[in-house]
Amino acid sequence: MAAVLTAACVRNKGFPCLLLSNTPTRLHTAPTRLLWGWLNTVFNKVDDKRIEQVGPDRAAAEWLLRCGAHVRFKDRPSWQRDYNTLPTGPPQKYKIEEIDATDSGVMHIGFEHFKHLQHVKSLKLNRCMYITDECIGKLHLLAGTLQHLEVTSCGNVTDKGLMQLKDLSLLETLRLFDLPAVRDKTGTVHLLEKFLANCEINAEGI
């Protein structure tokens, strides 16, 4: 008989985490998918009081690391990968410049964190199962600074979603790869090339 997934939410440095038993689990079962979906919704929720308390960049960094993403702060060479070692200091001290959300659980509700970020130049959305057209549409919140963007292996992103990238006028590089829900791949890329004339678009394998 298949073992049953056991889980518990505990407090760990201010946010809940999932504890799994050592017994084999069936991660494809419907209850488990619902559990992970609920936890990811909790992790992605915007906390306005937290933003007021620590500043938008610190709050966004906490969100991203909770969801499994990594960030690099301006003027710091190394990537921040561990939630528990986030630097402390006044809100204006640390500004997010790069985000790598590869294999993370970021969702559209969390993208509202981008509203107050003013230094993000690079964003990678690779193999993100919760990335949708709605998420892509919210990237306009970074339009004032975003220069480099990757969207790869995100199965829920369609032609409609990609066309919303046309307003990211500061983009210098755009990489699109393995997006099976995009039907008119050639037409979509041609339109993006038209609207983003100053952007180098790599869509081989889209």
Side-chain angles (χ1 to χ4, degrees):
M1 180 179 296
V4 179
L5 176 71
T6 60
C9 282
V10 300
R11 301 300 297 181
N12 180 14
K13 300 296 183 180
F15 67 94
C17 67
L18 186 68
L19 297 181
L20 301 178
S21 70
N22 291 326
T23 57
T25 62
R26 296 180 62 187
L27 295 179
H28 62 280
T29 60
T32 301
R33 289 196 300 270
L34 290 173
L35 174 61
W36 280 110
W38 175 80
L39 283 172
N40 277 307
T41 300
V42 171
F43 290 164
N44 278 273
K45 186 177 180 181
V46 176
D47 186 342
D48 292 329
K49 290 184 178 180
R50 185 61 177 167
I51 293 174
E52 292 180 6
Q53 180 183 9
V54 300
D57 286 82
R58 166 73 190 217
E62 292 177 353
W63 157 57
L64 289 161
L65 268 65
R66 278 198 305 267
C67 293
H70 305 143
V71 301
R72 189 184 66 77
F73 293 107
K74 186 177 180 181
D75 299 324
R76 291 172 68 95
S78 59
W79 284 81
Q80 182 71 40
R81 304 176 186 274
D82 185 354
Y83 184 101
N84 297 319
T85 60
L86 274 167
T88 58
Q92 67 274 16
K93 185 174 182 181
Y94 298 103
K95 303 297 183 182
I96 297 175
E97 192 166 74
E98 294 188 66
I99 299 170
D100 185 350
T102 299
D103 295 317
S104 72
V106 293
M107 290 177 166
H108 71 276
I109 56 176
F111 276 46
E112 289 297 317
H113 285 94
F114 291 151
K115 187 182 300 182
H116 305 290
L117 302 187
Q118 300 178 356
H119 298 83
V120 178
K121 295 182 179 180
S122 175
L123 172 62
K124 294 181 180 181
L125 300 173
N126 302 325
R127 299 189 300 275
C128 300
M129 67 180 298
Y130 298 112
I131 292 297
T132 62
D133 290 347
E134 188 172 2
C135 297
I136 301 300
K138 290 189 176 185
L139 294 183
H140 74 88
L141 298 172
L142 298 174
T145 60
L146 192 62
Q147 299 174 2
H148 308 283
L149 175 64
E150 291 186 15
V151 183
T152 73
S153 300
C154 295
N156 297 313
V157 175
T158 71
D159 314 53
K160 181 180 178 181
L162 290 185
M163 284 312 303
Q164 297 180 84
L165 299 177
K166 64 183 177 60
D167 297 322
L168 301 180
S169 59
L170 296 185
L171 277 185
E172 297 177 4
T173 63
L174 172 62
R175 181 170 181 255
L176 305 172
F177 176 76
D178 187 25
L179 302 175
V182 177
R183 300 304 181 188
D184 184 6
K185 301 179 188 300
T186 300
T188 299
V189 173
H190 283 169
L191 284 173
L192 286 175
E193 289 174 339
K194 176 182 177 181
F195 286 106
L196 302 174
N198 298 318
C199 178
E200 179 183 342
I201 300 178
N202 179 355
E204 183 177 356
I206 186 177

